Amino acid sequence: MASLNSADFHCDVLWKLLEDPSLSFEHDTTNALDVTLPRLRQAGAVLQTFAIYVSDRTEKSMIPILRSIDLFHRKVLTVPDMTFVRSSDDAAKLQSKSSGKIGAMLSLEGVDGLHGDLAMLRILFALGVRAVGLTWNHANWAADGVMEPRGGGLTKKGRALVEECNRLGIMVDVSHLSDRAFWDVLHLSAKPVIASHSNCRTICPHPRNLADDQLSALLAAGGMVGVTFVPHFVASHHPVQITDVLRHIERICELGGIEQLMFGSDFDGIEEYVHGLAHPGDVEQLQKALLSHYSESTVAGFCSGNLLQFLVKHLPE
Ligand SMILES: [Zn+2]
């Protein structure tokens, strides 16, 4: 078992469960899931955020979003080891480790299915969604994603969405946004924003990664960066190694983010893996590599402390 606690702000288990509701998060016998209860236990996990993601093959509406939340309740929250995290108090309990439980948070990746209706956002908040990424890679009613060639920013409705997220206490996630939409969000948001699963473009020049000026601005505004294990976002060579992940961490620290760094693995959203980092149970290897470069308290911050601190400060009461 990992020596330090771990936390992860992005996985796509709910998408796999939506595609195949016969899969089990608690007892996965098919090896179809990366993130499972035994592996989270192996990782010493204190928090896992579950993203709601609706693929292009499915109709973009509230129905698959609500189905994902139903699956989260039936397949994740019914497991006695798991506890729903919605408030600052919930996060503080994870910090004190009093319950011994693994916190489970809900995020939304892409607001396509809301069709510009902020009542739907308020309903999702009531159902416990606490982070919202405006787009996946494509454009939608709120903003342009990073693969939309026109490179537009926030729409008028997208601006209203960011303001409503701020008012409700939903964290705005800038991963997947076009550069222009990134800057629009950063200038508009009254609250710190997160990049749940993006790396450094200086280290690996992929459009899903953030440039140094973007990272610096996000950090200066008090936001969090989730270093991700998607091999194409880590390095352009093969195989991608854990030491390559460390280069991104080093860069974020150089930019002043030592206390604002977390992980957003993208497990269950990827088909290729960093060598030796294929599921949460492997984070021990990453921790070992980190401990040879950073102090134990710094590594504890990267692995869970920074994120829990941020949630205590920024989740609603
Ligand atoms: Zn993603």
Side-chain angles (χ1 to χ4, degrees):
M1 181 162 152
S3 58
L4 297 169
N5 287 126
S6 69
D8 176 29
F9 211 78
H10 191 90
C11 79
D12 283 311
V13 173
L14 296 182
W15 166 66
K16 281 192 183 167
L17 293 175
L18 187 66
E19 301 272 311
D20 181 0
S22 73
L23 294 175
S24 169
F25 162 77
E26 188 175 11
H27 305 288
D28 178 39
T29 51
T30 61
N31 215 23
L33 298 179
D34 301 333
V35 178
T36 62
L37 177 67
R39 285 169 173 174
L40 288 179
R41 280 296 185 204
Q42 199 185 339
V46 286
L47 182 93
Q48 176 68 58
T49 298
F50 294 79
I52 301 163
Y53 167 73
V54 178
S55 83
D56 289 336
R57 290 196 298 278
T58 310
E59 186 207 355
K60 305 282 187 181
S61 76
M62 284 296 285
I63 303 288
I65 294 174
L66 295 174
R67 272 192 209 287
S68 302
I69 296 175
D70 173 61
L71 287 162
F72 175 72
H73 276 269
R74 288 193 295 119
K75 301 258 182 179
V76 178
L77 290 184
T78 49
V79 177
D81 305 61
M82 306 300 292
T83 182
F84 201 0
V85 175
R86 286 162 289 186
S87 69
S88 175
D89 269 3
D90 295 341
K93 278 184 196 135
L94 298 178
Q95 257 182 335
S96 69
K97 296 178 196 124
S98 52
S99 70
K101 293 196 177 201
I102 303 168
M105 276 188 70
L106 268 181
S107 66
L108 176 65
E109 186 171 30
V111 297
D112 308 57
L114 282 61
H115 295 292
D117 187 344
L118 296 185
M120 299 303 123
L121 182 75
R122 290 186 285 272
I123 287 166
L124 293 179
F125 176 79
L127 293 174
V129 172
R130 291 293 180 267
V132 166
L134 275 59
T135 64
W136 190 62
N137 287 333
H138 311 307
N140 63 24
W141 60 265
D144 278 5
V146 69
M147 298 304 178
E148 168 57 52
R150 73 184 163 185
L154 285 177
T155 63
K156 189 177 174 188
K157 283 184 173 174
R159 297 179 71 85
L161 177 87
V162 170
E163 286 167 351
E164 190 65 352
C165 284
N166 284 168
R167 192 186 69 79
L168 290 166
I170 295 178
M171 294 172 274
V172 178
D173 183 354
V174 296
S175 286
H176 285 285
L177 284 178
S178 72
D179 283 353
R180 190 165 159 207
F182 169 95
W183 289 112
D184 283 354
V185 168
L186 213 76
H187 292 140
L188 176 65
S189 181
K191 304 258 179 80
V193 303
I194 58 169
S196 64
H197 56 308
S198 294
N199 289 338
C200 307
R201 217 178 273 174
T202 324
I203 305 296
C204 177
H206 192 286
R208 273 280 285 101
N209 289 339
L210 295 171
D212 281 0
D213 60 342
Q214 292 177 305
L215 288 165
S216 295
L218 182 148
L219 294 169
M224 293 284 292
V225 184
V227 168
T228 189
F229 308 151
V230 183
H232 302 295
F233 306 169
V234 176
S236 40
H237 56 248
H238 295 280
V240 177
Q241 307 285 354
I242 285 175
T243 48
D244 296 313
V245 177
L246 260 58
R247 297 175 65 217
H248 293 270
I249 292 167
E250 191 182 339
R251 187 74 193 139
I252 292 165
C253 290
E254 283 166 5
L255 295 169
I258 196 162
E259 291 176 350
Q260 291 162 270
L261 195 150
M262 61 176 175
F263 293 108
S265 66
D266 214 4
F267 284 140
D268 288 306
I270 50 178
E271 283 165 5
E272 291 172 47
Y273 301 89
V274 173
H275 184 72
L277 202 50
H279 59 75
D282 284 342
V283 300
E284 189 178 3
Q285 299 309 316
L286 176 64
Q287 291 181 0
K288 272 187 190 154
L290 286 167
L291 286 167
S292 63
H293 293 274
Y294 301 94
S295 72
E296 184 168 331
S297 66
T298 298
V299 178
F302 297 159
C303 292
S304 68
N306 292 350
L307 173 57
L308 292 182
Q309 189 61 38
F310 183 85
L311 295 177
V312 167
K313 203 169 164 189
H314 295 291
L315 280 177
E317 284 184 7

